[in-house]
Amino acid sequence: MSPETSVTSVQKLLGYMAVIVGVFMAITGILNSAPTFWIIPRVGPFPEALIRSLILLPSIFIVLVRNPISTVVSEKFPQTKPFAWIIDVVIMLASLWVFWSYQDVLMRIEEGLFDLEFIHPIIALTACTIFIILCWRVWGAPLGICGIAAIFYLYTGEYWPWIFETAPIYFIESSEDLWFNLNDGVLGTIMGILIFTVFPFILLGVLLEGTGGGRSLIKVAFHLTSRYRGGPAHAAILASGLFGTMSGGAVTNVVATGVLTIPIIKKRGFNPAFAGGVEATASSAGQIMPPIMGAAALVMSDFTGISYLTIILAALIPALAYYASLFTSVVFEARRLGIEAVPDMEEDLAVNSQDYINLIMVFVPIGIVIIALLNGFSAAGSGLMAMYSIVPLSFLNPEIRKKPYKIILAFAKGGETFAHLLMAIGVVGIIVAVLGTTGLPNDFAQVLNDMTGSHLFPVLFIAAIAALMMGMGMPTLPAYLTIILIMGPSIQNLGVSELVAHLFVLYYGVASSITPPVAVAAYAAASIAGAPPLLTALYALRIGLVKFIVPFAFAFYPVLLLVEESGVKFDVWEFSSAICRLMIVIYLVSSATLAFDQRRLPAWEIILRLALALLILITIMWVHWLATGFALLFLFWHYKKYKQN
């Protein structure tokens, strides 16, 4: 047997093992979070320390199989190729060591007094190094660099100037801050939220994709929008919003829906970069669309103590407003290109009765989540009940009846998806531990408030920029968690409610996936569209510009969030005023960014529309009503003068 054949055989074996381990993770996660239901007793939850090891050790194995470090090393240093695999083995063995030590130390702490020794910070730093390396391998450099900077700051903070100066950190005691506890650190509260609450919803989204419901959803969306000018572009927005709320990741959503939608959008006559931009923008926004919100609402609920139902209700109006802006942008682009409605469907996207049957797999689980929450089930329990429903419902699809093993493969994919996400969350845990130990967020909040006085806008602007920068190239959840930990106190000190602060940061974390230069969702769409990546990202940014405005709208007009947790009581007049003006802002901004309404817009009209949009959102009553009246008159004049052309 040749060396190449031997390597291929080993890779295949490891691939099969990764699938088995992924299924093991899925089953473990289900048993851990499953509630008591009817006559079925509850197995979990497992001890908190044990479940972390049972999930994270398999996760590290999966990541090393699917994204081996040895591949990178052998590419850069070809002479090391025959023995580069040793690096992966060493990382896996080191992982076994640090998790065994973790279990051992926590058991000793529970049994009585236990003194940490010099070896324990070595163990903690080894664990941190493993997560940083694997996070860098899977998600790129930004978050990994942040993790390295956090550890460096932890041990050198006493020598830093100004607010960054900290009390001395004792090397041995730092091991407890980083590793040996269940509150902060790599394996702390945030990791627990992901394992206990988010994992079931990730499995739910992957099952939806793997059992055929997602494809039927796209086909029906094409059917419903075929008579509109935007046609397939509108279909992409509709399908990506519904699918994205359950899939939980912008890139995942782009790949799942874009392979169908983008080629049809191009065929209708839209620019390839525009086609990719529409798909990227709509896919990323699935994470702000209730009821699932790509699991972000689940983390937010556990993090803030605000009920899950309250959060998804609060997120509803901003999400609908944003998707309305996407539909509006497509209309303007279709007008600009002179594209008319073409009712004829693509042959391979023609809707049949089976597609409508498959939609049961989409809407029944969503309904179960909502009903279960209303009846007092936990978020994790509701997600699991919805997931249980998909398994028998999937047999409505003849493809699953022919190949039922696809359900097992979907569970394996869910485990693998979660494994990759946990590498990023591990690094976020490092950052959380350092911030908690040093107290930097509170010091930063005090200085920022002293600099900005009682002015909310500059603090929100800084938070927005920070969220965009932190979110570039990393999953939304880690970006959201990192920024809210740093900027949350500053925003809330100015009278903004906790709910508004969290939603504001989440929106900008989501927006980072379409923001150049590291617009990961746009680049994924560009590869499908065959368009220049940066041009696709710029189109996505233009189409999705309202995503950057909506958070400021609900920060200054929290009544848009509908719930008292926003900081204000619901008032019909204030809500009507805010939502009507927001709709006008959406129209002005969408037309200005695409430079078209009833005709191509000259530069002065673009500037005027953007200026009016800004003035309409100002909280001073006479200013925003004067701007609103002028905007309506201006749009009426534009319509009457240029409609015939």
Side-chain angles (χ1 to χ4, degrees):
M1 183 183 292
S2 66
E4 291 78 7
T5 305
S6 177
V7 169
T8 303
S9 300
V10 171
Q11 289 174 340
K12 284 184 178 180
L13 176 61
L14 289 173
Y16 291 134
M17 291 177 64
V19 170
I20 294 170
V21 171
V23 174
F24 167 79
M25 281 182 61
I27 293 172
T28 304
I30 291 168
L31 293 176
N32 179 63
S33 300
T36 301
F37 182 70
W38 192 36
I39 62 172
I40 303 173
R42 184 170 191 177
V43 177
F46 300 124
E48 290 194 47
L50 177 62
I51 189 61
R52 283 160 167 78
S53 298
L54 286 176
I55 294 294
L56 281 160
L57 272 173
S59 297
I60 291 171
F61 174 78
I62 287 173
V63 171
L64 285 172
V65 171
R66 300 302 187 193
N67 309 88
I69 306 300
S70 56
T71 302
V72 178
V73 174
S74 59
E75 286 176 355
K76 292 190 175 181
F77 307 99
Q79 65 274 20
T80 65
K81 189 172 183 179
F83 50 86
W85 57 270
I86 296 174
I87 298 173
D88 298 320
V89 173
V90 168
I91 292 174
M92 194 66 237
L93 291 174
S95 301
L96 290 168
W97 176 53
V98 298
F99 277 97
W100 179 84
S101 301
Y102 173 76
Q103 295 288 331
D104 180 56
V105 169
L106 287 188
M107 285 177 61
R108 292 189 186 186
I109 290 175
E110 288 179 4
E111 291 171 357
L113 295 175
F114 176 77
D115 292 328
L116 294 168
E117 300 174 357
F118 185 80
I119 189 63
H120 294 113
I122 303 298
I123 294 169
L125 289 173
T126 301
C128 292
T129 302
I130 291 169
F131 279 98
I132 289 171
I133 290 172
L134 296 181
C135 176
W136 195 313
R137 177 73 175 97
V138 174
W139 299 107
L143 187 55
I145 292 172
C146 290
I148 294 170
I151 292 175
F152 179 76
Y153 177 61
L154 175 66
Y155 291 111
T156 62
E158 60 183 297
Y159 306 110
W160 287 50
W162 197 36
I163 63 169
F164 301 103
E165 183 179 0
T166 66
I169 299 295
Y170 296 101
F171 183 65
I172 292 178
E173 293 179 1
S174 67
S175 60
E176 187 173 2
D177 297 320
L178 290 172
W179 188 245
F180 296 108
N181 74 83
L182 291 170
N183 297 316
D184 295 314
V186 176
L187 303 181
T189 303
I190 294 176
M191 188 67 76
I193 292 172
L194 268 289
I195 292 172
F196 282 88
T197 306
V198 174
F199 195 13
F201 282 87
I202 289 179
L203 293 174
L204 175 63
V206 174
L207 276 174
L208 174 66
E209 179 187 352
T211 53
R215 180 179 176 84
S216 292
L217 177 65
I218 295 169
K219 291 170 70 175
V220 172
F222 271 101
H223 176 68
L224 293 175
T225 60
S226 62
R227 297 184 180 277
Y228 296 97
R229 274 188 169 193
H234 283 140
I237 294 168
L238 182 61
S240 296
L242 291 172
F243 183 77
T245 189
M246 301 179 75
S247 71
V251 175
T252 302
N253 198 7
V254 167
V255 173
T257 60
V259 291
L260 290 175
T261 59
I262 290 174
I264 310 301
I265 298 172
K266 289 167 59 180
K267 193 176 292 186
R268 183 61 66 88
F270 289 98
N271 182 293
F274 180 85
V278 167
E279 179 58 51
T281 309
S283 292
S284 64
Q287 296 169 96
I288 57 173
M289 174 60 76
I292 310 299
M293 293 175 65
L298 303 165
V299 176
M300 192 181 299
S301 177
D302 277 358
F303 204 74
T304 62
I306 300 171
S307 78
Y308 178 73
L309 277 174
T310 299
I311 290 172
I312 61 176
L313 179 60
L316 181 61
I317 296 300
L320 292 177
Y322 176 64
Y323 273 96
S325 76
L326 298 186
F327 274 91
T328 306
S329 295
V330 169
V331 169
F332 290 134
E333 182 69 6
R335 285 180 186 173
R336 187 180 72 84
L337 298 174
I339 296 172
E340 298 295 336
V342 181
D344 295 333
M345 294 289 295
E346 295 288 326
E347 197 170 310
D348 60 338
L349 290 175
V351 178
N352 53 45
S353 58
Q354 184 61 48
D355 290 310
Y356 289 109
I357 294 173
N358 287 350
L359 286 185
I360 295 174
M361 290 186 284
V362 178
F363 293 107
V364 167
I366 291 176
I368 287 174
V369 168
I370 296 171
I371 292 170
L373 287 169
L374 291 173
N375 282 277
F377 281 87
S378 67
S382 303
L384 282 170
M385 291 178 67
M387 189 196 68
Y388 295 156
S389 71
I390 285 188
V391 176
L393 288 174
S394 64
F395 286 94
L396 294 172
N397 186 348
E399 292 184 15
I400 300 300
R401 292 199 296 271
K402 292 177 183 176
K403 301 176 180 178
Y405 63 84
K406 283 189 173 183
I407 296 175
I408 304 298
L409 293 178
F411 277 112
K413 185 177 179 182
E416 292 186 21
T417 300
F418 192 55
H420 286 77
L421 177 61
L422 290 183
M423 299 306 104
I425 297 300
V427 178
V428 170
I430 297 171
I431 297 169
V432 170
V434 173
L435 293 177
T437 302
T438 60
L440 180 62
N442 292 328
D443 296 337
F444 184 71
Q446 184 60 50
V447 170
L448 196 59
N449 290 339
D450 291 342
M451 293 173 60
T452 60
S454 58
H455 301 292
L456 179 60
F457 180 80
V459 176
L460 291 177
F461 183 78
I462 293 171
I465 297 300
L468 288 175
M469 293 177 64
M470 280 296 300
M472 289 182 181
M474 73 170 73
T476 300
L477 279 180
Y480 150 65
L481 290 169
T482 304
I483 297 303
I484 198 63
L485 286 166
I486 297 172
M487 295 296 302
S490 301
I491 300 173
Q492 291 174 238
N493 282 352
L494 293 176
V496 174
S497 72
E498 188 176 26
L499 176 62
V500 171
H502 278 256
L503 284 175
F504 183 93
V505 171
L506 174 64
Y507 256 73
Y508 273 93
V510 170
S512 66
S513 65
I514 61 167
T515 306
V518 191
V520 288
Y523 294 164
S527 66
I528 299 171
L534 189 57
L535 182 60
T536 304
L538 291 173
Y539 262 110
L541 187 64
R542 288 171 60 188
I543 299 164
L545 189 62
V546 171
K547 189 187 291 184
F548 299 85
I549 297 173
V550 167
F552 282 93
F554 64 66
F556 285 100
Y557 298 97
V559 71
L560 288 169
L561 300 183
L562 303 176
V563 297
E564 290 190 10
E565 285 79 358
S566 66
V568 298
K569 289 186 176 181
F570 182 78
D571 181 271
V572 175
W573 164 249
E574 289 184 8
F575 174 77
S576 301
S577 166
I579 196 68
C580 289
R581 287 184 285 122
L582 182 58
M583 291 299 102
I584 296 170
V585 167
I586 286 172
Y587 190 96
L588 290 169
V589 172
S590 298
S591 58
T593 53
L594 289 168
F596 203 90
D597 191 341
Q598 300 297 329
R599 62 167 178 121
R600 185 177 296 277
L601 300 181
W604 69 267
E605 193 167 342
I606 293 173
I607 295 170
L608 178 61
R609 289 180 183 233
L610 293 175
L612 286 171
L614 178 63
L615 291 172
I616 289 171
L617 289 177
I618 287 178
T619 54
I620 302 171
M621 187 175 291
W622 70 267
V623 173
H624 67 233
W625 281 122
L626 186 63
T628 300
F630 184 81
L632 289 172
L633 289 173
F634 178 77
L635 292 174
F636 179 75
W637 167 81
H638 180 92
Y639 177 85
K640 293 294 290 184
K641 183 170 183 179
Y642 299 107
K643 173 63 177 175
Q644 63 271 24
N645 296 327

